[in-house]
Amino acid sequence: MNSEGFRLSSLGFGIDPMSHEEVLAEADVALSASSTAESGNTIDARSVLLDGATDPPGIKRTNNGWSFSGPSRQDSIPRGIFVCAVGGLPLFSTTDLSPSTASSGWLSFSLPLGEDHVERVQPEADADDRRVEVVCARSRCHLGHYFGKGDGYCINASALNFIPAAATTSGGDVSSRLLEDGRSQEKGMDYNRNGHPSQVWPLSWHALEDNESLSPSIRTLRDALLPQPPRLKSAVLGAGCFWHVESALRRLPGVVGTSTGYAGGAVPSPSYEQVCKSPTGHAEVVRVEFDSDVLPPRVLMDCFLAMHDPTKVRAHGKHAAGTGQYRSCTFFACEEMAGVAAEALRECHFQLGKELSTELRLMPDECSGGQWFWLAEDRHQKHDEKVGKVSRTNVNGNQIYSISVQEWLREYGRRSASVLGNAETVQVAASEPGDDGMAMMMI
């Protein structure tokens, strides 16, 4: 990743344009070979996407093998989303299939998932073909045509991959379903030249957060892409007042959800007043659920250690390590995450040359070992957003506010300049004012 900011869509997906070379390279891997339909017509996704060809009428089969031929209607097909076969950007939902799809020779949609996920290209003034072309906002590949509000979007099925929502919610994983012919199973997260993910996963989940205001199509998008374990991981982190810790952590790319609460003490279901005034032993913490393919656990831990001074004891007047509601602490219910945290703490100690006060505890699985994280009162959830201390608008003017890790470190890093990368690839960030003299932190 470099220091450039993400270009995010209104739904939180990276829409940095792919280069021509990237498009060709992904097409070589991701597109199905041309095939012959029962009608004898040839279906060639590569020609459609790269050369502007058109699928044979009536052959509505996606690049990854889902057939929508015949009298397909909204109520007769699985709920899911359609993503571009090159670049993976989500484009359409079955919720928005037009009634004309049943009688049309091609897939027809009333509208896309996000207006900025597709681009409508007007014909040249002297062009014989007066149709409005529709292309993917990320790959710029040809998808089909737009015929106005009445007829909507007429899209070639071979330009798309279909991802059913039900398979994900029942425990499946999107990466193993993107292509059904076995050539691209377990592709994982690819990164384009800007270091931004170029697959289907959103960078920001803020527009997809589970609430009653989600439209049916956006809820379908969420259900189709919501990561499942082991990709979906969680960490419980404390670094001071949970209002501001949550506000900062929510801006990291790949964070699916956060909640403030209390952990580390012996009093069950404590109130905020009890934690502040009584010896409950609890710390103010934030539970972070994140997509580990977008935000690796080690990056999350290093950002956590960069956002506060882990050598100091901040405990509302209590100066013993492991005490006080504002103490530096980490809690995990799985050994893998605890191991990542332990390694990050060891390296931080070595680099800073000081003892750390950060508490690391491996906790039992709450499903089997009893509750240890207690949700804070509703007034403490997303507090800084509720009171208007955080703008939800990013640099593109969209109501999304996740930023790149590099931008995050510049805004929330509380110590001297950070070293980005690893032992093999080291990039030194520009020094920030307010250097407290500590050694540089390895990210």
Side-chain angles (χ1 to χ4, degrees), residues 80-295:
I81 63 169
F82 299 88
V83 306
C84 185
V86 172
L89 184 65
L91 302 172
F92 300 97
S93 165
T94 53
T95 306
D96 297 315
L97 276 170
S98 170
S100 63
T101 289
S103 57
S104 172
W106 297 270
L107 293 177
S108 299
F109 300 91
S110 57
L111 72 165
L113 281 164
E115 291 291 341
D116 49 1
H117 283 217
V118 299
E119 294 183 13
R120 301 201 294 255
V121 182
Q122 300 295 326
E124 299 288 342
D126 57 350
D128 293 331
D129 189 346
R130 306 307 301 166
R131 295 176 299 177
V132 177
E133 184 185 15
V134 179
V135 300
C136 170
R138 182 186 286 166
S139 67
R140 299 285 300 177
C141 285
H142 175 77
L143 301 171
H145 294 91
Y146 176 68
F147 293 99
K149 291 185 178 180
D151 295 320
Y153 295 80
C154 183
I155 304 298
N156 295 290
S158 69
L160 308 172
N161 285 327
F162 179 68
I163 301 175
T168 297
T169 55
S170 63
D173 188 83
V174 178
S175 63
S176 63
R177 303 197 313 278
L178 286 176
L179 294 176
E180 294 188 339
D181 60 10
R183 289 177 294 104
S184 193
Q185 301 288 328
E186 309 301 334
K187 280 185 65 178
M189 178 64 70
D190 294 332
Y191 284 84
N192 66 24
R193 71 186 189 285
N194 292 325
H196 300 163
S198 62
Q199 274 295 335
V200 299
W201 330 123
L203 294 175
S204 172
W205 282 85
H206 298 292
L208 307 180
E209 285 185 308
D210 192 16
N211 59 64
E212 295 180 356
S213 67
L214 288 183
S215 68
S217 58
I218 302 305
R219 184 166 295 281
T220 298
L221 174 65
R222 174 185 167 85
D223 291 345
L225 297 186
L226 187 66
Q228 302 294 315
R231 261 187 54 215
L232 183 67
K233 299 186 185 302
S234 66
V236 174
L237 309 172
C241 172
F242 52 19
W243 292 350
H244 313 312
V245 174
E246 181 185 37
S247 176
L249 292 176
R250 279 174 57 77
R251 302 197 68 182
L252 283 169
V255 170
V256 175
T258 59
S259 52
T260 57
Y262 315 106
V267 177
S269 191
S271 67
Y272 181 69
E273 289 71 24
Q274 283 179 298
V275 172
C276 289
K277 300 177 180 180
S278 304
T280 64
H282 285 294
E284 293 187 19
V285 293
V286 178
R287 180 169 58 193
V288 183
E289 292 186 305
F290 62 101
D291 184 343
S292 58
D293 276 5
V294 176
L295 180 64

Side-chain angles (χ1 to χ4, degrees), residues 248-424:
L249 292 176
R250 279 174 57 77
R251 302 197 68 182
L252 283 169
V255 170
V256 175
T258 59
S259 52
T260 57
Y262 315 106
V267 177
S269 191
S271 67
Y272 181 69
E273 289 71 24
Q274 283 179 298
V275 172
C276 289
K277 300 177 180 180
S278 304
T280 64
H282 285 294
E284 293 187 19
V285 293
V286 178
R287 180 169 58 193
V288 183
E289 292 186 305
F290 62 101
D291 184 343
S292 58
D293 276 5
V294 176
L295 180 64
R298 178 58 192 266
V299 173
L300 172 62
M301 276 304 304
D302 288 336
C303 287
F304 162 73
L305 290 170
M307 73 183 295
H308 71 298
D309 184 352
T311 69
K312 295 180 179 178
V313 177
R314 299 186 61 217
H316 262 184
K318 303 178 182 68
H319 298 291
T323 66
Q325 72 191 78
Y326 281 0
R327 66 185 183 267
S328 176
C329 52
T330 61
F331 304 89
F332 305 99
C334 84
E335 293 184 4
E336 177 191 2
M337 283 294 301
V340 171
E343 181 182 0
L345 289 170
R346 284 193 298 269
E347 193 166 327
C348 181
H349 173 226
F350 174 77
Q351 290 162 355
L352 299 182
K354 297 182 179 181
E355 290 295 327
L356 305 188
S357 67
T358 305
E359 178 184 1
L360 170 60
R361 291 173 63 176
L362 179 62
M363 309 298 285
D365 188 307
E366 288 191 299
C367 293
S368 59
Q371 186 170 358
W372 52 267
F373 171 83
W374 304 94
L375 197 66
E377 297 84 346
D378 184 67
R379 69 181 185 274
H380 297 301
Q381 305 298 329
K382 303 177 182 62
H383 173 273
D384 285 1
E385 292 173 36
K386 290 177 180 176
V387 300
K389 288 187 177 181
V390 176
S391 169
R392 291 183 65 90
T393 303
N394 72 356
V395 293
N396 303 317
N398 297 327
Q399 297 300 306
I400 301 294
Y401 73 117
S402 293
I403 53 180
S404 71
V405 170
Q406 291 73 27
E407 292 173 304
W408 192 94
L409 285 169
R410 285 195 291 270
E411 184 163 346
Y412 294 103
R414 295 296 182 244
R415 295 196 303 279
S416 55
S418 298
V419 175
L420 308 180
N422 53 40
E424 290 74 33

